[in-house]
Amino acid sequence: MKLEIKNLSKTYKGGKVKALSDFSVTLTPGVYGLLGPNGAGKSTLMNIITDNLKADSGEVFYNGENTHKLGREYRSILGYMPQQQGLYDDFTLNRFLWYMAALKGLKKQEAKSKITGLLDTVNLTESAHKKLGSFSGGMKQRALIAQALLNDPEILILDEPTAGLDPKERIRIRNFISEIAENKIVIFATHVVSDIEFIAKEVMLIKKGKLIACDTTPNLLSQIEDKVFEAELTSGELESYQNTYRVSNLFHKDNTVIARIVTNNPPSNTKLTRAIPTLEDLYLYVFEDGK
Ligand code: ADP
Ligand code: MG
């Protein structure tokens, strides 16, 4: 199974906003984290992959076939959880899932057994007859994931599935996605590093519509292995330090401050200790410009 994204570009507002620029990547089964700040182009990419938005140029191939030519056949193997919520607040969960099953063309018997199974999978059987509007954030996200799984998709596209969740709910959703990912190509968009740090096979870093890197976390981190330091500062030194360096973390200890920095040019006049890089350090390195 292979999804090839080739040279996708997309602009909005008559070319004024460049949302995606020559984006190419090839994906095989496993979870891919799509990591980038708000406005980086994640939703645009996902909308194009799921055929909800037309690219200005570029193509998507599924197992070597152009997805536009595959049409309905391609859509039948796709599961998509869009970013926006609240569209179906007046529906009970059960009605929502039956409605989505009908849209996906599932037969009645098939829909019935799928819905029963998925309610169990996402742990919402008890709430099947409650309105989505009354659900907590985590329950809504699980309901949206359930609808994306109705057709047993080979490609699962999740646009910020952990948005608005508390830490406990985040962990549950993240582990749940990791469990259902077997034999699927899963793309998990987020701007929260910890969401994907441990479950992603590879991480795609997207910045201003461009793919900066797609690699395993250890390989990505090896690029900054000599660039992360901890510096011991007085509180007076801190401000100028923050203006000059990407400071990824601060610990206050007695009268000193320990600042964790990510830099190509470490200062020579401060006592520095090398630190082991994390994906959060890399995020800062890639997305915080000008330092
Ligand atoms: P992300 O999902 O990473 O936050 P988006 O794909 O939503 O990023 O947006 C990428 C860029 O395109 C942003 O600058 C955003 O403001 C712009 N954009 C997205 N959708 C539209 C639209 N429908 N019309 C105009 N600009 C848009
Ligand atoms: Mg988005």
Side-chain angles (χ1 to χ4, degrees):
M1 201 194 303
K2 193 165 76 167
L3 187 70
E4 284 168 281
I5 294 159
K6 286 197 177 160
N7 312 102
L8 287 182
S9 293
K10 175 75 188 173
T11 58
Y12 295 108
K13 298 194 173 167
K16 272 187 245 151
V17 178
K18 271 194 177 172
L20 214 54
S21 301
D22 202 20
F23 194 106
S24 299
V25 74
T26 298
L27 310 178
T28 54
V31 178
Y32 290 84
L34 178 63
L35 184 62
N38 288 328
K42 302 183 294 296
S43 295
T44 300
L45 175 67
M46 295 186 136
N47 277 314
I48 294 172
I49 294 174
T50 53
D51 212 7
N52 286 300
L53 183 71
K54 218 173 153 309
D56 295 344
S57 56
E59 279 147 337
V60 180
F61 294 87
Y62 174 64
N63 291 339
E65 305 265 4
N66 190 314
T67 54
H68 279 137
K69 292 210 182 97
L70 288 172
R72 189 203 295 250
E73 197 186 324
Y74 174 61
R75 279 188 295 276
S76 75
I77 57 97
L78 271 183
Y80 175 41
M81 174 185 176
Q83 191 170 2
Q84 76 273 22
Q85 276 199 0
L87 292 178
Y88 300 98
D89 278 357
D90 281 339
F91 283 39
T92 64
L93 172 58
N94 204 43
R95 188 165 158 236
F96 170 64
L97 291 175
W98 273 96
Y99 174 73
M100 295 308 288
L103 286 184
K104 290 176 189 233
L106 267 70
K107 298 209 174 68
K108 212 170 165 186
Q109 218 33 52
E110 200 184 351
K112 193 173 175 188
S113 72
K114 262 281 159 206
I115 289 171
T116 308
L118 280 171
L119 282 171
D120 186 49
T121 311
V122 298
N123 212 356
L124 286 175
T125 306
E126 308 274 286
S127 307
H129 296 288
K130 292 186 190 140
K131 284 191 175 176
L132 293 178
S134 72
F135 278 21
S136 71
M139 289 164 79
K140 274 189 194 174
Q141 298 296 71
R142 280 183 276 143
L144 287 174
I145 294 179
Q147 66 74 29
L149 292 169
L150 278 168
N151 55 334
D152 212 357
E154 293 182 10
I155 299 174
L156 182 60
I157 309 283
L158 305 168
D159 199 349
E160 308 231 13
T162 55
L165 303 188
D166 67 37
K168 212 168 122 193
E169 287 176 327
R170 271 174 190 276
I171 292 168
R172 269 190 71 151
I173 291 276
R174 192 199 293 162
N175 291 340
F176 169 65
I177 290 167
S178 171
E179 268 168 44
I180 58 170
E182 211 179 338
N183 301 322
K184 293 187 203 315
I185 296 171
V186 180
I187 309 181
F188 184 146
T190 184
H191 57 268
V192 179
V193 169
S194 58
D195 275 351
I196 46 131
E197 188 159 20
F198 301 108
I199 66 161
K201 169 171 94 156
E202 292 190 22
V203 177
M204 295 183 263
L205 296 168
I206 181 171
K207 180 178 180 178
K208 295 180 183 157
K210 295 198 175 95
L211 180 69
I212 300 292
C214 176
D215 214 331
T216 62
T217 300
N219 283 348
L220 290 172
L221 294 186
S222 71
Q223 296 171 21
I224 54 162
E225 66 189 348
D226 55 354
K227 301 184 196 300
V228 185
F229 304 90
E230 283 182 0
E232 208 172 301
L233 309 170
T234 63
S235 20
E237 289 170 308
L238 182 61
E239 195 181 329
S240 77
Y241 221 76
Q242 279 179 310
N243 292 332
T244 316
Y245 297 102
R246 300 177 196 88
V247 176
S248 80
N249 254 315
L250 288 176
F251 318 93
H252 291 265
K253 202 175 87 184
D254 304 326
N255 288 326
T256 61
V257 184
I258 310 232
R260 186 178 174 99
I261 60 167
V262 192
T263 182
N264 290 324
N265 305 300
S268 51
N269 54 351
T270 322
K271 188 168 162 280
L272 297 175
T273 320
R274 277 271 281 280
I276 295 171
T278 65
L279 200 55
E280 210 163 287
D281 296 322
L282 181 81
Y283 188 95
L284 213 63
Y285 182 70
V286 171
F287 296 111
E288 193 168 335
D289 289 320
K291 283 184 180 172

